[in-house]
Amino acid sequence: MSAEDDDGRTIRAPPSLVMDPWLYIGTASHANDTELLRSMGITHVLRCIGGPVRSVEDNGGIVQEICPLSDFGNSPFSSRLDEAVPFLDEIFLNLDGKEPGGKVLVHCQAGINRSPAMTVGYLVRSPQFRMPLKAA
């Protein structure tokens, strides 16, 4: 999402904080903006994007996990969620003060379909939360 300031410059909304202090959802534009990620303290990115399965990548110190999900409803969402839960749990579990922990951005192209679905699925399925669907 974006808006314009009084001078006509585009102002882009930042990623949305889902669970303070560590879990955000956003867009591909957010995920590709290393300066923004660093300024927010984002240490990990879960990319819910179409395409082939790829392994964890490192982008200037930001750990990236590729979670291949099509926007056309033909991806095995449940198995992709099973793959994402350990990645996200590891970040959450390191927030105990003994380890540096981290912050994660879960993103898809527009930040309105796959990334929110993955985030809600995580909060429902993760053994760390087991939130009821309505609460998530």
Side-chain angles (χ1 to χ4, degrees):
M1 293 190 179
S2 62
E4 289 186 0
D5 66 10
D6 293 337
D7 296 325
R9 293 179 296 222
T10 300
I11 302 170
R12 182 178 57 177
S16 298
L17 179 62
V18 175
M19 186 169 280
D20 196 21
W22 71 284
L23 182 58
Y24 294 82
I25 59 173
T27 67
S29 177
H30 294 133
N32 293 325
D33 187 341
T34 305
E35 184 178 317
L36 171 70
L37 297 176
R38 285 195 178 127
S39 73
M40 295 180 66
I42 303 276
T43 56
H44 297 73
V45 174
L46 179 61
R47 294 181 173 269
C48 301
I49 55 175
V53 174
R54 289 179 271 167
S55 62
V56 176
E57 301 174 359
D58 185 337
N59 180 20
I62 298 170
V63 177
Q64 303 205 22
E65 177 79 20
I66 308 299
C67 182
L69 282 175
S70 167
D71 214 9
F72 302 107
N74 58 353
S75 295
F77 184 82
S78 186
S79 63
R80 297 294 186 241
L81 179 59
D82 289 341
E83 296 165 6
V85 167
F87 177 76
L88 296 170
D89 273 347
E90 183 175 339
I91 300 162
F92 173 74
L93 290 172
N94 283 332
L95 290 175
D96 62 6
K98 297 175 188 166
E99 304 254 351
K103 294 181 180 181
V104 62
L105 172 70
V106 180
H107 90 86
C108 57
Q109 186 62 38
I112 59 173
N113 189 0
R114 292 167 283 178
S115 56
M118 182 62 67
T119 302
V120 168
Y122 167 71
L123 293 172
V124 170
R125 185 162 299 171
S126 169
Q128 308 310 316
F129 298 100
R130 296 276 188 220
M131 281 188 183
L133 183 57
K134 286 185 179 184

